[in-house]
């Protein structure tokens, strides 16, 4: 387990007690999200679906890179990594 | 002036949660897109009402989401020509081929439609600054409307967009922020900026209203075909917002009873170098795997992670159409073909529809007597380096002998 920072966007902040950024320890993205949900229960149904997959309209980045280009939720994290969790708002 | 819009409320496309018509980007519960819903029971206009209306998108004011007419920004957008392509049609063996020429909007792309609605809506919401994430065309459209509205404008675009687009955006006095990355990275930064600085990034912050503007293209096509829908339509696709809006426009115009229920085949087209939706279509999948590094000359439609991708798949499949991908070579050839046969000069992102049309003809996917509309969404002068100028080879001294010598060679 390493220490990482998680930055939330959109109304996700409200479901984390108004915290925009939280520090937590994790070994992977999935692990980080699980810890986040353990602390802020209201985030539960918003980030992961009932099978434990990332919700369709949520994007997760590790050091600004979308985890869909990495190993998805299984992506490992290193000490000091920055996770961003945000609603996926289509542009174009 | 009285309120004319029939807007009733907003509704989440996935979970159905309803909202008042507030300033909202996506569903607060599931983050899916939110659609504007209208109350047709209050409708008091008929097809005949259109005779004296302005030849702009505001002609369809009842089905647009701006509440107070005083907030309308109007730079003469829409009611672009629906050109009957007799020459190209003859060449391809099609009797009812049309081009919806949106290259001739005020800022030379279809993006004036969503921008005009979005900037009007921004004024209505009391926003102090607008902006967008853009591959160039939306940037110009929002910048022009912001200029007219007297609002500051911030455009986030990949640094490598065409010089013509940068010049245009700069002329409208917007701040253009060149992001050293892809469109998707610029879009993500724009989401953060809207939160950080309170800017109304129109294709994000007020997306439900923004996408309503493009519906007018469907209304116009119906009206220009004398209140009929075509058998098929081909639409360039990046995020899929335009295709989704045109599909919604066709169903709304049916719902209000202006056209008979018609099964229009909706076809979408992408460039091979950035074709996540076409890939999913071909593979029979419902989810869209994003493309990390788009690589195509059709920069306007180089969006690797399309927000409306899953809906494009659904609408196209439901209608019996296809999502195709065409090569850069086919695109360049199609730019020339359309220019040489119909006198319409489009950018690569508009030519993709002509490229797919040719392929559909070869594959027997369009019948000789079917009516088919190709959406040409942007202007060729935006990307002038694409078609090499042959002029230099023909430079001559200013005398008739030199000219004669040249003409003889032809
Ligand atoms: C000329 C042109 N055509 C088509 C599109 C596709 O639009 P959408 O993102 O709505 O699919 C764009 C988008 O920027 C464009 O500039
Ligand atoms: Zn929802």
């Amino acid at each position: 387990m390493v220490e990482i920072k998680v930055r939330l966007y959109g109304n996700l902040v409200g479901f984390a007690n108004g915290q925009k950024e939280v520090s937590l320890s994790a070994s992977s993205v999935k692990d980080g999200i699980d810890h986040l949900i353990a602390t802020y229960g209201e985030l539960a149904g918003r980030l992961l679906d009932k099978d434990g997959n990332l919700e369709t309209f949520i994007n997760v980045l590790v050091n600004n890179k979308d985890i869909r280009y990495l190993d998805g939720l299984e992506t490992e994290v290193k000490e000091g990594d920055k996770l961003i969790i945000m609603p996926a708002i289509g542009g174009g | 002036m009285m309120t004319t819009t029939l807007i009733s409320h907003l509704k989440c496309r996935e979970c159905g949660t309803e909202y008042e018509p507030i300033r909202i980007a996506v569903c607060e519960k599931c983050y899916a897109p939110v659609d504007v819903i209208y109350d047709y029971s209050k409708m008091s206009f008929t097809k005949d009402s259109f005779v004296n209306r302005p030849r702009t998108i505001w002609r369809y004011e009842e089905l647009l989401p701006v509440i107070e007419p005083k907030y309308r920004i109007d730079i003469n957008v829409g009611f672009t020509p629906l050109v009957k392509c007799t020459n190209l049609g003859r060449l391809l063996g099609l009797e009812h081929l049309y081009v919806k020429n949106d290259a001739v909007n005020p800022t030379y792309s279809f993006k004036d439609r969503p921008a005009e609605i979005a900037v009007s809506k921004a004024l209505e919401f009391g926003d102090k600054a607008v902006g967008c994430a853009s591959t160039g065309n939306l940037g110009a459209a929002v910048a022009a409307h912001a200029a007219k509205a007297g609002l500051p404008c911030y455009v986030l675009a990949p640094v490598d967009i065409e010089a013509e687009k940068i010049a245009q955006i700069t002329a409208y006095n917007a701040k253009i922020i060149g992001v050293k990355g892809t469109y998707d990275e610029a879009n993500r930064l724009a989401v953060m900026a809207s939160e950080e600085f309170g800017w109304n990034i129109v294709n994000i912050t007020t997306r439900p209203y923004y996408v309503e503007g493009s519906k007018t293209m469907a209304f116009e096509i119906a009206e220009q075909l004398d209140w009929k829908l075509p058998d098929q339509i081909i639409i360039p696709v990046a995020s899929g917002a335009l295709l989704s809006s045109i599909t919604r426009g066709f169903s709304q115009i049916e719902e209000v009873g202006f056209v008979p229920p018609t099964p229009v085949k909706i076809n979408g087209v992408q460039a091979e170098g950035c074709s996540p939706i076409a890939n999913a279509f071909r593979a029979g999948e419902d989810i869209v795997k994003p493309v990390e590094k788009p690589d195509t000359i059709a920069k306007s439609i180089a969006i690797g992670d399309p927000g409306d991708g899953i809906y494009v798949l659904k609408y196209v499949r439901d209608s019996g159409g296809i999502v195709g991908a065409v090569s850069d070579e086919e695109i360049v050839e199609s730019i020339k073909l359309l220019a040489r046969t119909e006198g319409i000069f489009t950018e690569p992102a508009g030519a993709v529809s002509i490229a797919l049309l040719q392929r559909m003809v070869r594959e027997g996917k369009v019948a000789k007597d079917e009516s088919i509309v190709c959406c040409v969404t942007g202007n060729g002068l935006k990307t002038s380096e694409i078609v090499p100028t042959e002029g230099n080879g023909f430079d001559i001294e200013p005398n008739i002998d030199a000219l004669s010598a040249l003409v003889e060679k032809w």
Side-chain angles (χ1 to χ4, degrees):
Chain A
M1 296 260 233
V2 293
E3 191 79 2
I4 61 168
K5 281 203 164 56
V6 181
R7 173 72 157 89
L8 299 171
Y9 280 91
N11 77 356
L12 294 173
V13 175
F15 297 105
N17 267 343
Q19 303 289 312
K20 280 188 180 170
E21 192 165 280
V22 285
S23 295
L24 47 80
S25 47
S27 56
S28 68
V29 170
K30 175 81 170 63
D31 194 38
I33 293 178
D34 286 343
H35 286 165
L36 192 67
I37 291 172
T39 315
Y40 305 105
E42 284 192 273
L43 285 173
R46 293 179 175 265
L47 305 182
L48 303 177
D49 66 17
K50 51 185 184 329
D51 301 325
N53 298 316
L54 196 62
E55 283 286 358
T56 315
F57 298 104
I58 293 291
N59 282 349
V60 177
L61 316 172
V62 175
N63 300 332
N64 286 315
K65 196 169 172 94
D66 194 309
I67 59 166
R68 286 173 295 174
Y69 305 126
L70 301 167
D71 294 324
L73 289 175
E74 305 310 322
T75 304
E76 286 179 15
V77 290
K78 302 182 305 298
E79 180 77 28
D81 276 357
K82 193 168 172 192
L83 215 66
I84 290 175
I85 306 179
M86 63 198 305
I89 308 179
Chain B
M1 244 218 280
M2 265 186 25
T3 293
T4 50
T5 176
L6 297 174
I7 190 169
S8 156
H9 59 278
L10 308 178
K11 188 173 177 194
C12 173
R13 208 178 284 175
E14 291 295 327
C15 76
T17 301
E18 296 190 355
Y19 303 88
E20 290 295 304
I22 50 172
R23 191 176 179 280
I24 194 177
V26 288
C27 178
E28 298 274 309
K29 291 212 174 103
C30 73
Y31 310 105
V34 163
D35 294 319
V36 177
I37 308 294
Y38 299 86
D39 179 3
Y40 306 126
S41 71
K42 300 211 187 87
M43 206 174 96
S44 61
F45 68 113
T46 65
K47 282 190 257 184
D48 297 329
S49 315
F50 290 105
V51 178
N52 294 318
R53 291 199 176 186
R55 293 169 71 83
T56 69
I57 60 170
W58 297 108
R59 179 175 185 84
Y60 310 104
E61 57 186 1
E62 286 89 346
L63 299 176
L64 293 171
V66 179
I67 297 170
E68 288 281 348
K70 69 174 181 205
Y71 293 119
R72 280 182 202 168
I73 297 296
D74 184 355
I75 64 167
N76 261 287
V77 173
F79 226 80
T80 55
L82 183 72
V83 179
K84 176 104 200 248
C85 295
T86 45
N87 295 335
L88 183 56
R90 197 174 316 113
L91 206 68
L92 298 177
L94 300 174
E95 288 169 0
H96 307 284
L97 171 63
Y98 298 88
V99 157
K100 180 62 173 164
N101 185 9
D102 251 33
V104 295
N105 268 306
T107 73
Y108 309 104
S109 86
F110 88 94
K111 291 286 188 183
D112 279 323
R113 299 173 186 273
E116 188 150 294
I117 298 301
V119 175
S120 299
K121 210 59 200 169
L123 284 181
E124 191 160 81
F125 284 129
D127 286 312
K128 297 287 176 274
V130 291
C132 62
S134 175
T135 51
N137 284 327
L138 180 61
V142 175
H145 283 88
K148 183 78 175 174
L151 292 175
C153 178
Y154 305 93
V155 175
L156 291 103
V159 273
D160 66 349
I161 63 168
E162 296 86 348
E164 293 90 335
K165 293 176 181 167
I166 295 172
Q168 193 185 6
I169 295 166
T170 309
Y172 298 129
N173 199 29
K175 291 218 163 38
I176 175 155
I177 301 155
V179 178
K180 294 177 185 167
T182 61
Y183 171 81
D184 294 315
E185 290 170 308
N187 187 71
R188 203 153 64 216
L189 207 51
V191 173
M192 296 172 180
S194 70
E195 199 163 308
E196 213 61 53
F197 314 120
W199 300 340
N200 179 342
I201 302 286
V202 298
N203 53 340
I204 293 169
T205 322
T206 49
R207 186 165 183 79
Y209 305 99
Y210 160 82
V211 296
E212 284 295 281
S214 302
K215 255 178 13 187
T216 54
M217 213 158 145
F219 297 165
E220 290 171 16
I221 291 169
E223 188 177 349
Q224 289 166 321
L225 289 175
D226 207 10
W227 298 112
K228 281 197 276 300
L229 298 186
D231 295 314
Q232 300 212 43
I233 187 165
I234 305 179
I235 306 166
V237 170
S239 70
L242 174 63
L243 187 142
S244 302
S245 295
I246 289 181
T247 306
R248 206 168 46 252
F250 282 155
S251 35
Q252 286 182 358
I253 209 80
E254 279 180 12
E255 275 173 76
V256 299
F258 287 7
V259 296
T262 313
V264 184
K265 275 192 189 146
I266 312 278
N267 301 286
V269 54
Q270 303 199 282
E272 270 173 11
C274 183
S275 52
I277 308 176
N279 295 345
F281 182 83
R282 201 176 325 110
E285 280 164 9
D286 302 327
I287 57 161
V288 175
K289 210 166 140 268
V291 170
E292 187 173 10
K293 299 247 180 282
D295 180 16
T296 169
I297 56 165
K299 292 182 187 173
S300 296
I301 50 170
I303 296 185
D305 186 12
D308 280 292
I310 55 175
Y311 300 107
V312 169
L313 289 172
K314 180 177 185 321
Y315 301 146
V316 166
R317 285 181 178 137
D318 286 354
S319 78
I322 60 168
V323 188
V326 295
S327 69
D328 284 358
E329 293 72 33
E330 285 174 278
I331 292 172
V332 173
E333 185 271 328
S334 297
I335 291 175
K336 294 182 184 168
L337 181 67
L338 183 64
R340 288 165 192 189
T341 53
E342 299 297 335
I344 297 170
F345 183 32
T346 181
E347 63 167 296
V352 292
S353 61
I354 304 299
L356 187 68
L357 172 71
Q358 293 180 75
R359 207 186 273 183
M360 286 171 63
V361 168
R362 282 199 300 276
E363 294 174 359
K365 290 200 172 84
V366 44
K368 180 181 157 88
D369 59 348
E370 273 187 307
S371 58
I372 181 160
V373 175
C374 289
C375 295
V376 165
T377 44
N379 197 298
L381 293 175
K382 298 240 191 192
T383 57
S384 59
E385 77 275 19
I386 297 294
V387 182
T389 48
E390 289 166 358
N392 287 342
F394 303 144
D395 293 352
I396 54 163
E397 293 304 318
N399 64 66
I400 190 66
D401 293 340
L403 181 56
S404 300
L406 180 62
V407 170
E408 253 164 48
K409 282 195 272 176
W410 295 333

